[in-house]
Amino acid sequence: MFVKSTSSAFASTDLATHLRGQGITRLIITGAALGFCVTSAVRAAADLGFAVILPRDAVLGFDLPMMGLSADEIAKVTFGLLGADFATLSSTAEVIASL
């Protein structure tokens, strides 16, 4: 079990070492919250050399009303940035079909 104390699942844990020890090179990342922890984990994983698949329908986001941003707006920009350089965007159905 890994207990993280940072946004990324990699920064405060030995997760990368564990995954490499198991011969894992490709990750499917899901979770909450897209604009924070998911983004941090995806970027860190890519920077560490893992191939990342990010199913768009397997993450949770929320509005940031104090910034005037809806969850949909945040998702559109975040998926655009992550898909441009850090992850392959997919759907859960596509991931399952590829297994």
Side-chain angles (χ1 to χ4, degrees):
M1 176 171 53
F2 297 93
V3 178
K4 69 182 189 82
S5 59
T6 55
S7 291
S8 169
F10 295 94
S12 59
T13 70
D14 291 327
L15 180 58
T17 302
H18 176 76
L19 294 171
R20 286 191 181 113
Q22 299 296 311
I24 296 169
T25 59
R26 183 178 64 157
L27 305 177
I28 300 165
I29 296 181
T30 66
L34 175 61
F36 296 92
C37 297
V38 173
T39 296
S40 296
V42 167
R43 288 175 181 248
D47 287 347
L48 290 166
F50 292 98
V52 178
I53 299 169
L54 181 62
R56 291 179 179 200
D57 57 342
V59 298
L60 175 67
F62 51 83
D63 298 335
L64 290 175
M66 292 175 19
M67 303 305 278
L69 297 169
S70 70
D72 287 340
E73 291 170 315
I74 294 166
K76 184 176 181 179
V77 171
T78 302
F79 283 129
L81 293 170
L82 294 177
D85 195 40
F86 300 97
T88 299
L89 302 179
S90 185
S91 68
T92 301
E94 291 168 331
V95 169
I96 291 169
S98 74
L99 298 177

